[in-house]
Amino acid sequence: MIKIRDLNKSYKMGINYLHVLKGINLDVEEGEFVAIMGASGSGKSTLLNIIGMLDTHDSGLYELDGVKIEKLNEKKAANYRNKFLGFIFQSYNLISFKNVVENVALPLYYQNVSRKNRSKIAMQYLERVGLTNWAAHMPNELSGGQKQRVAIARALAAKPKLLLADEPTGALDSKTSAEVIKLIQEINDEGKTILMVTHEDEIARMCKRIVRLKDGMIMSDERIEQVRL
Ligand code: ADP
Ligand code: MG
């Protein structure tokens, strides 16, 4: 599903370049559940953003689902994102002036699904994350854990092949984190491929494979016995 070879990324900082990803090699097969770990500033988000086509690499190869991802124009990249990818962020990124079911339905709008079907499908995913009764509420009426479950429902509604999560439990207490990760595990059990950035060991152990980054390089990459909740 993902093939990355000798991938490099630098950011221009004034007259200097900050070399953030230094020759990354990574393969991810369908159905995997991968934790990307590393200290703050090690390049985790940069890598996830390149995989998610929110950012571009400078050199090397990146193939997603057999398609070489190169300097795509924004429209093409947006198309691929809508078709292939679901995102979950630490800060939830819900639309504050839309209610819960409208938030979940949003990616379907970009897939040209009819209004009636959008609501119907969005309700199915709200049920999946246990928030049926919250459909008409606004995001600011929800707890952090509930907001993240809405974000997960929204990510799933578009039926992505790949789910990308950047510190999805970073703003949650440990009990709520566990509930959110349990939900993500179940989604992986159903066959969804998941890449999750985290700097917490306890969270990473609930994945099936841990990739460790240090200063923009992969230090280790190992399959693990998944901790179940
Ligand atoms: P992590 O997610 O592991 O904390 P990041 O990938 O966010 O690390 O960042 C890696 C390095 O790249 C950091 O030093 C960060 O300051 C820098 N960086 C990230 N994004 C940008 C950007 N858009 N412009 C300049 N520097 C950036
Ligand atoms: Mg980060």
CSV table of all heavy atoms in Angstrom, one decimal, residues 147-192:
chain,number,residue,atom,x,y,z
A,147,LYS,N,-15.3,14.3,20.9
A,147,LYS,CA,-14.9,15.0,19.7
A,147,LYS,C,-14.0,14.1,18.8
A,147,LYS,O,-14.1,14.1,17.6
A,147,LYS,CB,-14.1,16.3,20.0
A,147,LYS,CG,-15.0,17.4,20.5
A,147,LYS,CD,-14.1,18.7,20.8
A,147,LYS,CE,-14.9,19.6,21.6
A,147,LYS,NZ,-14.1,20.7,22.3
A,148,GLN,N,-13.1,13.4,19.5
A,148,GLN,CA,-12.2,12.6,18.7
A,148,GLN,C,-13.0,11.4,18.0
A,148,GLN,O,-12.6,11.0,16.9
A,148,GLN,CB,-11.0,12.0,19.5
A,148,GLN,CG,-9.8,11.5,18.8
A,148,GLN,CD,-9.3,12.6,17.8
A,148,GLN,OE1,-9.9,13.0,16.8
A,148,GLN,NE2,-8.0,13.0,18.0
A,149,ARG,N,-14.0,10.9,18.7
A,149,ARG,CA,-14.8,9.9,18.1
A,149,ARG,C,-15.6,10.4,16.9
A,149,ARG,O,-15.8,9.7,15.9
A,149,ARG,CB,-15.8,9.2,19.1
A,149,ARG,CG,-15.0,8.1,19.9
A,149,ARG,CD,-15.5,8.0,21.3
A,149,ARG,NE,-16.9,7.6,21.4
A,149,ARG,CZ,-17.6,7.7,22.5
A,149,ARG,NH1,-17.0,8.3,23.6
A,149,ARG,NH2,-18.8,7.3,22.5
A,150,VAL,N,-16.0,11.7,16.9
A,150,VAL,CA,-16.7,12.3,15.8
A,150,VAL,C,-15.6,12.4,14.6
A,150,VAL,O,-15.9,12.1,13.5
A,150,VAL,CB,-17.2,13.7,16.1
A,150,VAL,CG1,-17.7,14.4,14.9
A,150,VAL,CG2,-18.3,13.6,17.2
A,151,ALA,N,-14.4,12.8,15.0
A,151,ALA,CA,-13.4,12.9,14.0
A,151,ALA,C,-13.1,11.6,13.3
A,151,ALA,O,-12.8,11.5,12.1
A,151,ALA,CB,-12.1,13.5,14.6
A,152,ILE,N,-13.1,10.5,14.1
A,152,ILE,CA,-12.9,9.2,13.6
A,152,ILE,C,-14.1,8.8,12.7
A,152,ILE,O,-13.8,8.3,11.6
A,152,ILE,CB,-12.7,8.1,14.7
A,152,ILE,CG1,-11.4,8.4,15.5
A,152,ILE,CG2,-12.8,6.7,14.2
A,152,ILE,CD1,-11.2,7.6,16.8
A,153,ALA,N,-15.3,9.1,13.1
A,153,ALA,CA,-16.4,8.8,12.2
A,153,ALA,C,-16.3,9.5,10.9
A,153,ALA,O,-16.6,9.0,9.8
A,153,ALA,CB,-17.7,9.2,12.9
A,154,ARG,N,-15.9,10.8,11.0
A,154,ARG,CA,-15.7,11.6,9.8
A,154,ARG,C,-14.7,11.0,8.9
A,154,ARG,O,-14.8,10.9,7.6
A,154,ARG,CB,-15.4,13.0,10.1
A,154,ARG,CG,-15.1,13.9,8.9
A,154,ARG,CD,-14.7,15.3,9.3
A,154,ARG,NE,-13.5,15.3,10.1
A,154,ARG,CZ,-12.9,16.4,10.7
A,154,ARG,NH1,-13.5,17.6,10.5
A,154,ARG,NH2,-11.8,16.3,11.4
A,155,ALA,N,-13.5,10.6,9.5
A,155,ALA,CA,-12.5,10.0,8.7
A,155,ALA,C,-12.9,8.7,8.0
A,155,ALA,O,-12.6,8.4,6.9
A,155,ALA,CB,-11.3,9.7,9.6
A,156,LEU,N,-13.8,7.9,8.7
A,156,LEU,CA,-14.2,6.6,8.1
A,156,LEU,C,-15.3,6.8,7.1
A,156,LEU,O,-15.4,6.0,6.2
A,156,LEU,CB,-14.8,5.7,9.2
A,156,LEU,CG,-13.7,5.2,10.3
A,156,LEU,CD1,-14.5,4.5,11.4
A,156,LEU,CD2,-12.7,4.4,9.6
A,157,ALA,N,-16.1,7.9,7.2
A,157,ALA,CA,-17.3,8.0,6.3
A,157,ALA,C,-16.9,8.0,4.8
A,157,ALA,O,-17.7,7.6,4.0
A,157,ALA,CB,-18.0,9.3,6.7
A,158,ALA,N,-15.7,8.5,4.5
A,158,ALA,CA,-15.3,8.6,3.1
A,158,ALA,C,-14.7,7.2,2.7
A,158,ALA,O,-14.2,7.1,1.5
A,158,ALA,CB,-14.2,9.6,3.0
A,159,LYS,N,-14.8,6.2,3.5
A,159,LYS,CA,-14.2,4.9,3.2
A,159,LYS,C,-12.8,4.9,2.7
A,159,LYS,O,-12.5,4.4,1.6
A,159,LYS,CB,-15.1,4.2,2.2
A,159,LYS,CG,-16.4,3.6,2.7
A,159,LYS,CD,-17.0,2.6,1.7
A,159,LYS,CE,-18.3,2.1,2.1
A,159,LYS,NZ,-18.3,1.2,3.3
A,160,PRO,N,-11.9,5.5,3.5
A,160,PRO,CA,-10.5,5.6,3.0
A,160,PRO,C,-9.8,4.2,3.1
A,160,PRO,O,-10.2,3.4,3.8
A,160,PRO,CB,-9.9,6.5,4.1
A,160,PRO,CG,-10.7,6.2,5.3
A,160,PRO,CD,-12.1,6.0,4.9
A,161,LYS,N,-8.8,4.1,2.2
A,161,LYS,CA,-8.0,2.8,2.3
A,161,LYS,C,-7.0,2.9,3.4
A,161,LYS,O,-6.5,1.9,3.9
A,161,LYS,CB,-7.3,2.7,0.9
A,161,LYS,CG,-8.1,2.3,-0.2
A,161,LYS,CD,-7.3,1.8,-1.4
A,161,LYS,CE,-8.3,1.2,-2.4
A,161,LYS,NZ,-7.5,0.6,-3.5
A,162,LEU,N,-6.7,4.2,3.7
A,162,LEU,CA,-5.6,4.4,4.7
A,162,LEU,C,-6.0,5.4,5.7
A,162,LEU,O,-6.5,6.5,5.3
A,162,LEU,CB,-4.3,4.8,3.9
A,162,LEU,CG,-3.1,5.2,4.7
A,162,LEU,CD1,-2.6,4.1,5.5
A,162,LEU,CD2,-2.0,5.7,3.8
A,163,LEU,N,-5.9,5.1,7.0
A,163,LEU,CA,-6.2,6.1,8.0
A,163,LEU,C,-4.9,6.6,8.7
A,163,LEU,O,-4.1,5.8,9.1
A,163,LEU,CB,-7.0,5.4,9.1
A,163,LEU,CG,-7.9,6.2,10.0
A,163,LEU,CD1,-8.9,7.0,9.3
A,163,LEU,CD2,-8.7,5.2,11.0
A,164,LEU,N,-4.8,7.9,8.7
A,164,LEU,CA,-3.6,8.6,9.2
A,164,LEU,C,-3.9,9.3,10.5
A,164,LEU,O,-4.9,10.2,10.4
A,164,LEU,CB,-3.0,9.5,8.2
A,164,LEU,CG,-2.6,8.9,6.9
A,164,LEU,CD1,-2.1,9.9,5.9
A,164,LEU,CD2,-1.4,7.9,7.1
A,165,ALA,N,-3.3,9.1,11.6
A,165,ALA,CA,-3.6,9.7,12.8
A,165,ALA,C,-2.3,10.3,13.4
A,165,ALA,O,-1.3,9.6,13.6
A,165,ALA,CB,-4.2,8.7,13.8
A,166,ASP,N,-2.4,11.7,13.7
A,166,ASP,CA,-1.2,12.3,14.3
A,166,ASP,C,-1.5,12.7,15.8
A,166,ASP,O,-2.3,13.6,16.0
A,166,ASP,CB,-0.9,13.6,13.5
A,166,ASP,CG,0.5,14.2,13.8
A,166,ASP,OD1,1.1,13.7,14.8
A,166,ASP,OD2,1.0,15.0,13.1
A,167,GLU,N,-0.9,11.9,16.7
A,167,GLU,CA,-1.1,12.1,18.1
A,167,GLU,C,-2.6,12.1,18.5
A,167,GLU,O,-3.0,13.1,19.1
A,167,GLU,CB,-0.4,13.3,18.6
A,167,GLU,CG,1.0,13.5,18.2
A,167,GLU,CD,2.0,13.0,19.3
A,167,GLU,OE1,1.6,12.5,20.3
A,167,GLU,OE2,3.2,13.2,19.1
A,168,PRO,N,-3.4,11.1,18.0
A,168,PRO,CA,-4.9,11.3,18.2
A,168,PRO,C,-5.3,11.3,19.7
A,168,PRO,O,-6.4,11.8,20.0
A,168,PRO,CB,-5.4,10.0,17.6
A,168,PRO,CG,-4.3,9.0,17.6
A,168,PRO,CD,-3.0,9.9,17.5
A,169,THR,N,-4.4,10.9,20.6
A,169,THR,CA,-4.8,10.9,22.0
A,169,THR,C,-4.0,11.9,22.8
A,169,THR,O,-4.0,12.0,24.0
A,169,THR,CB,-4.5,9.5,22.7
A,169,THR,OG1,-3.1,9.2,22.6
A,169,THR,CG2,-5.3,8.4,22.0
A,170,GLY,N,-3.3,12.8,22.0
A,170,GLY,CA,-2.4,13.8,22.6
A,170,GLY,C,-3.0,14.7,23.6
A,170,GLY,O,-2.4,15.3,24.5
A,171,ALA,N,-4.3,15.0,23.3
A,171,ALA,CA,-5.0,16.0,24.2
A,171,ALA,C,-6.0,15.3,25.2
A,171,ALA,O,-6.8,15.9,25.8
A,171,ALA,CB,-5.8,16.9,23.3
A,172,LEU,N,-5.9,13.9,25.3
A,172,LEU,CA,-6.9,13.2,26.1
A,172,LEU,C,-6.3,12.6,27.3
A,172,LEU,O,-5.1,12.3,27.3
A,172,LEU,CB,-7.5,12.1,25.2
A,172,LEU,CG,-8.2,12.5,23.9
A,172,LEU,CD1,-8.6,11.3,23.1
A,172,LEU,CD2,-9.3,13.4,24.2
A,173,ASP,N,-7.1,12.5,28.4
A,173,ASP,CA,-6.6,11.8,29.6
A,173,ASP,C,-6.4,10.3,29.3
A,173,ASP,O,-6.9,9.8,28.3
A,173,ASP,CB,-7.6,12.0,30.8
A,173,ASP,CG,-8.9,11.4,30.5
A,173,ASP,OD1,-9.1,10.2,30.4
A,173,ASP,OD2,-9.9,12.2,30.3
A,174,SER,N,-5.8,9.6,30.2
A,174,SER,CA,-5.4,8.2,29.9
A,174,SER,C,-6.6,7.3,29.7
A,174,SER,O,-6.6,6.4,28.8
A,174,SER,CB,-4.4,7.6,30.9
A,174,SER,OG,-4.9,7.7,32.2
A,175,LYS,N,-7.7,7.4,30.5
A,175,LYS,CA,-8.8,6.6,30.3
A,175,LYS,C,-9.5,6.8,29.0
A,175,LYS,O,-9.8,5.9,28.2
A,175,LYS,CB,-9.8,6.8,31.5
A,175,LYS,CG,-11.1,6.0,31.4
A,175,LYS,CD,-11.9,6.1,32.7
A,175,LYS,CE,-13.2,5.4,32.6
A,175,LYS,NZ,-14.2,6.2,31.9
A,176,THR,N,-9.7,8.1,28.6
A,176,THR,CA,-10.3,8.4,27.3
A,176,THR,C,-9.4,8.0,26.2
A,176,THR,O,-9.9,7.5,25.2
A,176,THR,CB,-10.6,9.9,27.3
A,176,THR,OG1,-11.2,10.3,28.5
A,176,THR,CG2,-11.4,10.3,26.1
A,177,SER,N,-8.1,8.2,26.3
A,177,SER,CA,-7.1,7.7,25.3
A,177,SER,C,-7.3,6.2,25.0
A,177,SER,O,-7.4,5.8,23.9
A,177,SER,CB,-5.7,7.9,25.8
A,177,SER,OG,-5.4,9.2,25.9
A,178,ALA,N,-7.4,5.4,26.1
A,178,ALA,CA,-7.6,4.0,26.0
A,178,ALA,C,-8.9,3.7,25.2
A,178,ALA,O,-8.9,2.8,24.3
A,178,ALA,CB,-7.7,3.3,27.4
A,179,GLU,N,-10.0,4.4,25.5
A,179,GLU,CA,-11.2,4.1,24.7
A,179,GLU,C,-11.1,4.5,23.2
A,179,GLU,O,-11.6,3.7,22.4
A,179,GLU,CB,-12.3,5.0,25.3
A,179,GLU,CG,-12.8,4.5,26.7
A,179,GLU,CD,-13.6,5.6,27.4
A,179,GLU,OE1,-14.0,6.6,26.8
A,179,GLU,OE2,-13.9,5.4,28.6
A,180,VAL,N,-10.4,5.6,23.0
A,180,VAL,CA,-10.2,6.0,21.6
A,180,VAL,C,-9.3,4.9,20.8
A,180,VAL,O,-9.6,4.5,19.7
A,180,VAL,CB,-9.6,7.4,21.5
A,180,VAL,CG1,-9.1,7.7,20.1
A,180,VAL,CG2,-10.7,8.4,21.9
A,181,ILE,N,-8.2,4.5,21.5
A,181,ILE,CA,-7.3,3.5,20.9
A,181,ILE,C,-8.0,2.2,20.7
A,181,ILE,O,-7.9,1.5,19.7
A,181,ILE,CB,-6.0,3.3,21.7
A,181,ILE,CG1,-5.3,4.6,21.8
A,181,ILE,CG2,-5.2,2.2,21.1
A,181,ILE,CD1,-4.7,5.1,20.4
A,182,LYS,N,-8.9,1.8,21.6
A,182,LYS,CA,-9.7,0.6,21.5
A,182,LYS,C,-10.5,0.6,20.2
A,182,LYS,O,-10.6,-0.3,19.4
A,182,LYS,CB,-10.5,0.3,22.7
A,182,LYS,CG,-11.3,-1.0,22.7
A,182,LYS,CD,-11.8,-1.3,24.1
A,182,LYS,CE,-12.4,-2.6,24.2
A,182,LYS,NZ,-13.8,-2.7,23.8
A,183,LEU,N,-11.1,1.8,20.0
A,183,LEU,CA,-12.0,2.0,18.8
A,183,LEU,C,-11.1,1.9,17.5
A,183,LEU,O,-11.4,1.2,16.6
A,183,LEU,CB,-12.6,3.3,18.9
A,183,LEU,CG,-13.5,3.8,17.7
A,183,LEU,CD1,-14.6,2.8,17.4
A,183,LEU,CD2,-14.0,5.2,17.9
A,184,ILE,N,-9.9,2.5,17.6
A,184,ILE,CA,-9.0,2.4,16.4
A,184,ILE,C,-8.5,1.0,16.2
A,184,ILE,O,-8.4,0.6,15.0
A,184,ILE,CB,-7.8,3.4,16.6
A,184,ILE,CG1,-8.3,4.9,16.6
A,184,ILE,CG2,-6.8,3.3,15.5
A,184,ILE,CD1,-7.3,5.9,16.9
A,185,GLN,N,-8.3,0.2,17.3
A,185,GLN,CA,-7.9,-1.2,17.1
A,185,GLN,C,-9.0,-2.0,16.4
A,185,GLN,O,-8.8,-2.8,15.5
A,185,GLN,CB,-7.7,-1.8,18.5
A,185,GLN,CG,-6.3,-1.5,19.1
A,185,GLN,CD,-6.1,-2.2,20.4
A,185,GLN,OE1,-7.0,-2.6,21.1
A,185,GLN,NE2,-4.8,-2.4,20.7
A,186,GLU,N,-10.3,-1.7,16.8
A,186,GLU,CA,-11.4,-2.4,16.2
A,186,GLU,C,-11.5,-2.1,14.7
A,186,GLU,O,-11.8,-2.9,13.9
A,186,GLU,CB,-12.7,-2.0,16.9
A,186,GLU,CG,-12.8,-2.7,18.3
A,186,GLU,CD,-13.9,-2.0,19.2
A,186,GLU,OE1,-14.7,-1.2,18.7
A,186,GLU,OE2,-13.9,-2.4,20.4
A,187,ILE,N,-11.2,-0.8,14.4
A,187,ILE,CA,-11.3,-0.4,13.0
A,187,ILE,C,-10.2,-1.1,12.2
A,187,ILE,O,-10.4,-1.5,11.1
A,187,ILE,CB,-11.1,1.2,12.9
A,187,ILE,CG1,-12.4,1.8,13.5
A,187,ILE,CG2,-10.9,1.6,11.5
A,187,ILE,CD1,-12.2,3.3,13.8
A,188,ASN,N,-9.0,-1.3,12.8
A,188,ASN,CA,-7.9,-2.1,12.2
A,188,ASN,C,-8.3,-3.5,12.1
A,188,ASN,O,-8.0,-4.2,11.0
A,188,ASN,CB,-6.6,-1.9,13.0
A,188,ASN,CG,-5.5,-2.8,12.4
A,188,ASN,OD1,-5.1,-3.7,13.1
A,188,ASN,ND2,-5.1,-2.5,11.2
A,189,ASP,N,-9.0,-4.1,13.1
A,189,ASP,CA,-9.5,-5.5,13.0
A,189,ASP,C,-10.4,-5.7,11.8
A,189,ASP,O,-10.4,-6.8,11.2
A,189,ASP,CB,-10.3,-5.8,14.3
A,189,ASP,CG,-9.5,-5.9,15.5
A,189,ASP,OD1,-8.3,-5.9,15.5
A,189,ASP,OD2,-10.1,-5.8,16.6
A,190,GLU,N,-11.1,-4.7,11.4
A,190,GLU,CA,-12.0,-4.7,10.3
A,190,GLU,C,-11.2,-4.7,8.9
A,190,GLU,O,-11.8,-4.7,7.9
A,190,GLU,CB,-13.1,-3.6,10.3
A,190,GLU,CG,-14.1,-3.8,11.5
A,190,GLU,CD,-14.8,-2.6,11.9
A,190,GLU,OE1,-14.8,-1.6,11.1
A,190,GLU,OE2,-15.4,-2.5,13.0
A,191,GLY,N,-9.9,-4.5,9.0
A,191,GLY,CA,-9.1,-4.5,7.9
A,191,GLY,C,-8.5,-3.2,7.4
A,191,GLY,O,-7.7,-3.2,6.4
A,192,LYS,N,-8.8,-2.1,8.1
A,192,LYS,CA,-8.3,-0.8,7.7
A,192,LYS,C,-6.8,-0.7,8.0
A,192,LYS,O,-6.4,-1.0,9.1
A,192,LYS,CB,-9.1,0.3,8.4
A,192,LYS,CG,-8.9,1.7,7.8
A,192,LYS,CD,-9.7,1.9,6.5
A,192,LYS,CE,-11.2,2.0,6.8
A,192,LYS,NZ,-12.0,1.9,5.5
